[in-house]
Amino acid sequence: MICIKVYTQGRERLVAACDQDILGKTFRSKGLVLDVAESFYHGDDVDEEALVNWLRLATVANLSGKVVVGIAVKNGFIDEDCVLDIGGVPHAQMTRMI
């Protein structure tokens, strides 16, 4: 399952999504820290189709976890070469200029 929280400010829409199994955990490597905080990521539990639909509407996305980042790569939202590995967890961010 995928955890997602959507933030809207004016015309901007930030989608924060993560794999459910990493929610609330912190990962570290090479001086980087990924805090998958429940307060930031958890709003609704969704499936792949809902995540893709939200990413189509996003101007900014913060994505963590093998499933979530894999979906974003597969659907062309994220370039695979731009994915970070932080403590064994894929992490990527997306910005769309409108």
Side-chain angles (χ1 to χ4, degrees), residues 2-5 41-46:
I2 298 164
C3 298
I4 189 170
K5 193 166 186 179
Y41 285 95
H42 194 257
D44 293 308
D45 296 330
V46 301

Side-chain angles (χ1 to χ4, degrees), residues 7 16-17 37 43 45 53 55 69 80 88-89 92-93 95-96 98:
Y7 301 86
D45 296 330
N53 288 335
L55 290 175
V69 173
E80 191 170 12
V89 175
Q93 296 179 346
T95 302
R96 179 177 293 128
I98 57 172

Side-chain angles (χ1 to χ4, degrees), residues 72-89:
V73 168
K74 178 175 82 175
N75 287 277
F77 295 104
I78 299 292
D79 183 318
E80 191 170 12
D81 293 335
C82 297
V83 176
L84 296 175
D85 181 299
I86 303 174
V89 175

Side-chain angles (χ1 to χ4, degrees), residues 5-42:
K5 193 166 186 179
V6 179
Y7 301 86
T8 303
Q9 178 68 41
R11 293 178 27 189
E12 304 299 323
R13 182 171 291 120
L14 182 144
V15 172
C18 71
D19 296 1
Q20 191 173 42
D21 64 331
I22 64 169
L23 186 64
K25 297 179 181 177
T26 301
F27 303 89
R28 293 177 172 79
S29 69
K30 300 177 186 173
L32 299 174
V33 177
L34 174 60
D35 181 12
V36 190
E38 289 192 38
S39 59
F40 182 69
Y41 285 95
H42 194 257

